[in-house]
Amino acid sequence: MKINWGTGIVIAFIAFISFILFFVIRMSSDNRANHDLVTEEYYEAELGYQKEIDAETNANKNARITVEKTAEGLLLKFPENLDLNKVKGTVSLYRPSNKHLDFDLSISLSQAHLLIPDKRLLDGRWDIKVFWEYEGEDYLHKESITY
């Protein structure tokens, strides 16, 4: 059987379409390509973004937090001039590579620092978000670290 040029073009198109469909089906069914959103309620979080900007501005002006890596874990140092009993808030640690490693801690200070134990943190990138309230003012500190 002899194949003319018209039949060759049709066979080439069918082969190309099959090749593309193979990769589309393979990538859509592969769990390694399954990426989640940063937050589940993305649009609700977007509405509160101005509040975050104001809180971050307050923290940069009045109450800067420093983050240090120590042998015991991650040390968050709050300003010394704060009344520690009035500080309320949360520390959120977000792991971009695995949402199952994310966790939140509530802030309750007896000293001017908060220690996150080494056993809770795996090596790699972490996004830290410290949101706290002091005397009716909101404060926010964001930082990305490699632990």
Side-chain angles (χ1 to χ4, degrees), residues 46-63:
E46 189 67 30
L47 293 174
Y49 193 61
Q50 184 60 46
K51 184 179 177 182
E52 282 190 13
I53 292 171
D54 295 339
E56 199 166 5
T57 304
N58 282 344
N60 288 335
K61 286 182 188 175
N62 305 328

Side-chain angles (χ1 to χ4, degrees), residues 16-77:
F16 179 73
I17 291 171
S18 300
F19 174 75
I20 296 297
L21 283 176
F22 168 74
F23 281 108
V24 167
I25 292 170
R26 185 168 179 211
M27 295 306 337
S28 65
S29 64
D30 192 2
N31 285 334
R32 290 181 295 166
N34 187 13
H35 298 290
D36 297 322
L37 291 174
V38 173
T39 60
E40 295 295 327
E41 298 85 23
Y42 176 76
Y43 294 107
E44 291 174 20
E46 189 67 30
L47 293 174
Y49 193 61
Q50 184 60 46
K51 184 179 177 182
E52 282 190 13
I53 292 171
D54 295 339
E56 199 166 5
T57 304
N58 282 344
N60 288 335
K61 286 182 188 175
N62 305 328
R64 198 164 232 342
I65 291 180
T66 58
V67 179
E68 291 181 18
K69 182 180 175 183
T70 63
E72 294 86 26
L74 202 60
L75 190 67
L76 304 174
K77 291 185 180 179

Side-chain angles (χ1 to χ4, degrees), residues 66-130:
T66 58
V67 179
E68 291 181 18
K69 182 180 175 183
T70 63
E72 294 86 26
L74 202 60
L75 190 67
L76 304 174
K77 291 185 180 179
F78 286 82
E80 297 285 334
N81 59 351
L82 299 178
D83 181 10
L84 302 178
N85 295 327
K86 295 181 181 179
V87 176
K88 304 288 182 231
T90 59
V91 177
S92 298
L93 282 99
Y94 168 71
R95 181 70 182 240
S97 63
N98 188 350
K99 74 177 183 178
H100 299 292
L101 297 175
D102 299 350
F103 63 94
D104 295 335
L105 298 171
S106 61
I107 297 173
S108 59
L109 299 174
S110 59
Q111 298 175 353
H113 63 272
L114 178 69
L115 179 68
I116 300 169
D118 184 51
K119 63 183 177 182
R120 300 239 14 215
L121 301 169
L122 295 176
D123 292 343
R125 179 175 171 213
W126 289 91
D127 292 339
I128 301 170
K129 192 183 221 182
V130 183

